[in-house]
Amino acid sequence: MNVLTSHSTHDAQEDMRNRDIKIYLNGDLVHRDEAKVSVYDSGFMLGDGMWEGMRLYHGKWAFFEEHMDRFFNSCKAVSLDVGLDKEGIREALAATAEANGMTHDVHCRLMLTRGVKAKPFQHPGLSRSGPTLVIIMEHSKPVETLQSKGIRLATVPQVRGLPMSQDAKYNSHSKLNCVIACLQAEQAGADEALMLDPHGFVNTTNACNFFIVRRGEVWTSSGDYCMNGVTRQKVIDLCRNNDIPVFEKNYTLYEAYGADEAFLTGTFGAQTPVASIDGKAIGSGENPVTRRIRALYKGLIQENIREQGGQI
């Protein structure tokens, strides 16, 4: 039997400490083996919830305010009561980090669902006991091959849909759309999926935002049909502030195939180079613009940590 070897934008170095982490579950801190939610929980039953991914550097959460703005805006849009304000979330994060002795190179997945349902049916009104808040933190560093090897993408038939079906701007627990795309890419022999928008323009991958570089210009999608990622916006801002031409626009696979460079953005991997799309090698592999942006982004994180009082 063939065993699929994982290679994705979220591949992390193995860290044995993660086997004994404590998970935040509705105010309690419990060993990962004991962290359980009800089968009646809205997140398990329906994917009814929102989440946020963040990274901890030198005891501070990078771009905390931006992540909280997205999280609270998403929850408000679907009438999901967080139960805490931003400072309450910050305190829960601090308690979880302290319980695990974590200060640096830590990845967090903050998850909120509508909570336990009275009956196993769809209506939100059946979630009557309050939300379920879970915080998972792991010691987590990207594997080196993400930079040296890059990611192979395959264009897939699964698209990012229209905002009135399920707006891709939600960081929702309902990720089936992206899971299907990822499966299609793996079945095509690639690492991850390159997804188009409903009009056939290049949009995003199943897990990250997507950029190309053509003749020194950085292009990304219009943002109408993708998760408007925090890292995505930081890259756009860095380009504008450092005289790197950057455009949010519609473009097709023709331009993507002929790009000099391509890279993905996300909180975990920052900027990850793309090696190929549909079997076509992208550029020479030197990636000078990507490397410059990656260095600028690293400096931006350090600046943000210092602004929060962190020692680097």
Side-chain angles (χ1 to χ4, degrees):
M1 182 176 68
N2 293 328
V3 178
L4 180 65
T5 300
S6 172
H7 180 64
S8 77
T9 48
H10 294 102
D11 283 352
Q13 298 176 18
E14 185 176 3
D15 194 314
M16 300 296 287
R17 293 174 294 178
N18 291 330
R19 295 189 177 185
D20 285 312
I21 56 173
K22 290 184 172 61
I23 308 294
Y24 180 102
L25 176 56
N26 284 339
D28 295 325
L29 286 157
V30 297
H31 189 276
R32 61 178 294 168
D33 294 342
E34 303 301 321
K36 298 176 174 61
V37 297
S38 170
V39 294
Y40 278 79
D41 190 87
S42 301
F44 175 79
M45 193 171 289
L46 298 167
D48 182 7
M50 295 292 169
W51 65 277
E52 198 68 30
M54 296 178 287
R55 286 193 72 78
L56 186 68
Y57 299 95
H58 303 286
K60 303 295 179 182
W61 295 102
F63 314 124
F64 177 79
E65 291 297 330
E66 291 89 336
H67 282 287
M68 286 299 98
D69 284 346
R70 180 171 66 183
F71 179 67
F72 277 86
N73 285 339
S74 296
C75 290
K76 181 178 181 180
V78 297
S79 302
L80 178 53
D81 180 15
V82 178
L84 297 170
D85 59 13
K86 290 181 181 180
E87 286 309 307
I89 294 291
R90 192 194 294 271
E91 290 171 6
L93 290 168
T96 308
E98 182 179 2
N100 287 292
M102 294 175 171
T103 58
H104 188 61
D105 282 332
V106 173
H107 197 77
C108 166
R109 192 175 183 99
L110 169 73
M111 298 175 284
L112 185 80
T113 78
R114 208 173 298 274
V116 177
K117 304 185 82 66
K119 296 180 180 180
F121 300 113
Q122 177 181 314
H123 198 287
L126 291 169
S127 301
R128 298 168 183 166
S129 60
T132 300
L133 178 64
V134 174
I135 300 172
I136 300 175
M137 290 185 191
E138 292 187 337
H139 301 280
S140 183
K141 291 180 66 174
V143 295
E144 303 227 345
T145 52
L146 287 178
Q147 292 300 313
S148 61
K149 186 177 178 182
I151 292 292
R152 300 169 303 162
L153 299 179
T155 310
V156 297
Q158 191 79 5
V159 302
R160 290 294 179 114
L162 294 165
M164 62 278 223
S165 57
Q166 182 173 321
D167 198 329
K169 294 179 180 65
Y170 292 141
N171 223 4
S172 166
H173 281 216
S174 305
K175 302 296 287 184
L176 184 59
N177 175 258
C178 298
V179 171
I180 292 171
C182 188
L183 289 169
Q184 290 171 340
E186 287 189 338
Q187 289 155 5
D191 301 315
E192 292 194 4
L194 182 60
M195 302 176 72
L196 307 180
D197 72 18
H199 308 291
F201 295 111
V202 174
N203 190 10
T204 181
T205 75
N206 58 275
C208 297
N209 288 120
F210 178 75
F211 288 74
I212 63 172
V213 180
R214 291 178 60 88
R215 300 179 180 88
E217 297 179 349
V218 176
W219 294 7
T220 192
S221 72
S222 66
D224 293 334
Y225 305 102
C226 71
M227 166 59 64
N228 288 182
V230 171
T231 310
R232 174 187 187 271
Q233 188 60 51
K234 295 301 179 185
V235 166
I236 292 169
D237 294 343
L238 282 170
C239 288
R240 289 173 177 164
N241 293 335
N242 289 276
D243 299 320
I244 302 172
V246 61
F247 300 94
E248 296 175 84
K249 58 183 290 184
N250 289 326
Y251 62 93
T252 68
L253 284 169
Y254 171 82
E255 284 111 348
Y257 291 149
D260 302 312
E261 305 173 37
F263 62 92
L264 312 179
T265 63
T267 300
F268 175 74
Q271 295 80 37
T272 304
V274 172
S276 65
I277 303 173
D278 296 332
K280 300 170 179 64
I282 301 301
S284 65
E286 295 297 320
N287 300 323
V289 176
T290 303
R291 285 189 283 107
R292 183 185 177 198
I293 290 171
R294 187 169 174 82
L296 289 169
Y297 181 76
K298 183 177 180 180
L300 185 65
I301 288 176
Q302 292 174 343
E303 179 184 338
N304 181 257
I305 298 308
R306 289 192 188 99
E307 288 174 352
Q308 297 181 65
Q311 299 297 317
I312 297 176

